[in-house]
Amino acid sequence: MLLVTGVSGGLGQLVAERLAGRDDVVLGTRAPLPGARRVDFDDPGSLPEAFAGIDTLLLISAGYGEDDTVIARHDAAISAAERAGVGHVVYTSLTGAGDHLPYALAHRWTERRLSASTSLKWTILRNGLYAELLAFLAAPGADGRLTAPLADGRLAAVARADLAEIAARVALDPAPHAGRVYELTGSRALGGAELATATGTAYEPETLAEARKRISASGALDFQVPMLVGTYSAIAGDFLATPDTGDLHTLLGRAPLDPLEVYAEAVGAGPGW
């Protein structure tokens, strides 16, 4: 039996949609959802019942929070999986190039925690940044300008749908992937000029200081400000530009979705990445 966590939104929801109707899959969410088990990493007492009878756990990163909060959530989930006799954990992590990002530490801690387990088999899916997230970070303004502080840097963004498909496939048959770490970045790297062309705007990047001031004034939570500015900085420094070296294409079994098309579509759809 496979348990998929975090299915009320984002990547987890896309995975759940691909696995809908299967009698060998259980969905888990902290929010009430018909037919789903309650899985609340902030309430470890909810986990023994949730993990009962589970053979494989697809652990969707619970990364919304400070490092210590995220680490505590992931530790609770992994510890509960060990106690429940879960055999294999598939974890959605962060691309290795993302070590420069402010939120990388909790992902690397979780990878280390899994590798140290004496009872669990594991697979790490190191996801690149979403093309849909890029649409949030670099959305054009109403004035016809794209001002995201990307400088001349580029991002090998990847379609969230491709990552969801891979997560579902690996979790349904994890044995061939035991002990593997997959790097899942996009098929090509995108820069500010290309994003502007795709949206019919002019690329006039602001500075990181200007971006920090804008984000701080937007009502963002305290931990989100350095998170977003650090993401811009890593892209601008060209640390996230290396495109897929084979894992994405191999696990998909087809050509990945074009990240520029996904970006443009997400921009047109507005908020909700």
Side-chain angles (χ1 to χ4, degrees):
M1 187 67 71
L2 165 64
L3 172 64
V4 182
T5 68
V7 302
S8 59
L11 182 66
Q13 182 177 350
L14 293 180
V15 173
E17 291 171 358
R18 283 158 176 75
L19 299 177
R22 296 184 62 104
D23 58 10
D24 57 349
V25 175
V26 177
L27 305 181
T29 174
R30 66 185 301 170
L33 184 70
R37 295 187 184 184
R38 178 173 177 263
V39 178
D40 186 348
F41 298 155
D42 290 327
D43 178 14
S46 72
L47 301 182
E49 182 176 355
F51 289 5
I54 298 302
D55 304 300
T56 303
L57 171 66
L58 175 53
L59 177 58
I60 305 293
S61 171
Y64 190 79
E66 299 281 5
D67 284 341
D68 55 351
T69 298
V70 178
I71 287 171
R73 290 170 179 164
H74 291 176
D75 189 39
I78 294 169
S79 296
E82 290 171 329
R83 289 192 293 268
V86 172
H88 199 124
V89 174
V90 179
Y91 173 61
T92 60
S93 189
L94 176 70
T95 174
D99 279 347
H100 296 280
L101 294 167
Y103 36 93
L105 187 147
H107 286 289
R108 300 298 174 251
W109 184 95
T110 305
E111 292 182 12
R112 186 175 63 183
R113 172 69 176 84
L114 285 169
S115 67
S117 176
T118 58
S119 63
L120 293 170
K121 294 180 181 179
W122 51 265
T123 304
I124 306 297
L125 304 178
R126 284 185 167 177
N127 292 343
L129 298 188
Y130 306 152
E132 293 87 344
L133 172 61
L134 188 58
F136 169 76
L137 293 171
D143 60 358
R145 297 185 305 142
L146 194 157
T147 61
L150 307 180
D152 294 323
R154 303 167 75 80
L155 171 65
V158 59
R160 191 168 54 180
D162 282 346
L163 297 175
E165 184 172 333
I166 287 172
R169 288 186 180 186
V170 171
L172 284 174
D173 184 23
H177 308 284
R180 298 293 301 273
V181 178
Y182 294 109
E183 291 286 346
L184 304 174
T185 52
S187 55
R188 60 173 170 147
L190 306 175
E194 289 167 291
L195 303 180
T197 298
T199 54
T201 56
Y203 181 46
E204 300 177 12
E206 63 188 346
T207 65
L208 289 173
E210 290 168 335
R212 184 181 297 275
K213 184 179 297 185
R214 169 175 55 82
I215 296 166
S216 297
S218 71
L221 299 176
D222 289 345
F223 77 88
Q224 292 176 313
V225 178
M227 177 182 292
L228 293 172
V229 174
T231 301
Y232 283 130
S233 183
I235 297 172
D238 221 31
F239 286 105
L240 300 171
T242 303
D244 172 43
T245 56
D247 287 348
L248 184 72
H249 192 287
T250 298
L251 291 177
L252 280 173
R254 58 166 173 79
L257 297 175
D258 186 334
L260 188 59
E261 292 181 2
V262 174
Y263 162 81
E265 182 178 351
V267 165
W273 60 269

